[in-house]
């Protein structure tokens, strides 16, 4: 009977520990254009829960360049975790010219991009953490 009780306690501890680790998943973001999702790079982040926290810091580097062919300007929507409380955005034709500006997340609409190469940097802050994401988009006419 004692062995069964210890086995149950051990299993409960493993499940509780796994829940804490699962709760610390990295923040995520994709850009959606015409129903297609495009991945970028997660450059840096911090995320915490009641029991633990995790951070990762990287350097700005060339993101994968996603090619979007559209006859009209591309309407870009960000998809991410719910509850963004603070947001910065920068769009530039080169990595070296990115200058993030604060955006009100409650008023933020879709981003409209004309033909050309665009680097999009998005900084997002949630109650439990933050993340900096970098995307490369090349908008081309069909």
């Amino acid at each position: 009977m004692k062995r069964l009780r210890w086995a149950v306690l051990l299993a409960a501890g493993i499940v509780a520990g796994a829940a804490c680790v699962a709760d610390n998943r990295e923040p995520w973001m994709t850009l959606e254009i015409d129903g297609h999702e495009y991945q970028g790079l997660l450059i840096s982040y911090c995320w915490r829960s009641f029991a633990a926290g995790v951070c990762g810091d990287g350097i700005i580097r060339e993101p994968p360049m996603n090619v979007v062919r559209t006859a009209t300007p591309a309407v870009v929507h960000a998809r991410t975790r719910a509850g963004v409380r603070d947001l910065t955005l920068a769009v530039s034709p080169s990595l070296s010219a990115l200058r993030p500006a604060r955006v009100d997340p409650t008023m933020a609409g879709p981003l409209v991009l004309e033909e050309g190469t665009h680097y999009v940097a998005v900084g997002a802050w949630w109650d439990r953490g933050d993340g900096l994401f970098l995307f490369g988009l090349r908008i081309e006419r069909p």
Side-chain angles (χ1 to χ4, degrees):
M1 189 65 167
K2 280 187 173 184
R3 285 186 186 175
L4 178 60
R5 192 173 340 159
W6 279 109
V8 170
L9 288 175
L10 179 62
I14 290 170
V15 169
C20 287
V21 170
D23 202 35
N24 280 326
R25 288 182 312 252
E26 297 174 346
W28 62 272
M29 183 173 292
T30 60
L31 297 183
E32 182 182 343
I33 304 171
D34 293 334
H36 299 284
E37 286 192 53
Y38 297 92
Q39 299 293 321
L41 293 176
L42 176 58
I43 301 296
S44 64
Y45 67 94
C46 279
W47 204 255
R48 65 190 169 280
S49 70
F50 175 73
V54 62
C55 289
D57 199 11
I59 57 171
I60 299 228
R61 60 196 184 282
E62 187 77 25
M65 189 57 64
N66 299 291
V67 177
V68 179
R69 290 180 175 78
T70 178
T72 60
V75 178
V76 181
H77 298 272
R79 294 177 41 85
T80 190
R81 290 177 175 266
V84 172
R85 64 174 170 79
D86 204 359
L87 192 63
T88 62
L89 175 69
V91 180
S92 174
S94 72
L95 280 177
S96 61
L98 286 170
R99 304 284 181 264
R102 177 166 262 121
V103 176
D104 181 350
T106 62
M107 303 295 285
L111 179 64
V112 179
L113 298 176
E114 297 289 338
E115 186 175 11
T117 298
H118 306 278
Y119 291 92
V120 179
V122 182
W125 287 260
W126 297 267
D127 286 338
R128 293 183 29 233
D130 59 79
L132 173 63
F133 305 87
L134 186 59
F135 299 88
L137 297 172
R138 183 173 301 123
I139 310 300
E140 297 178 349
R141 300 287 178 238

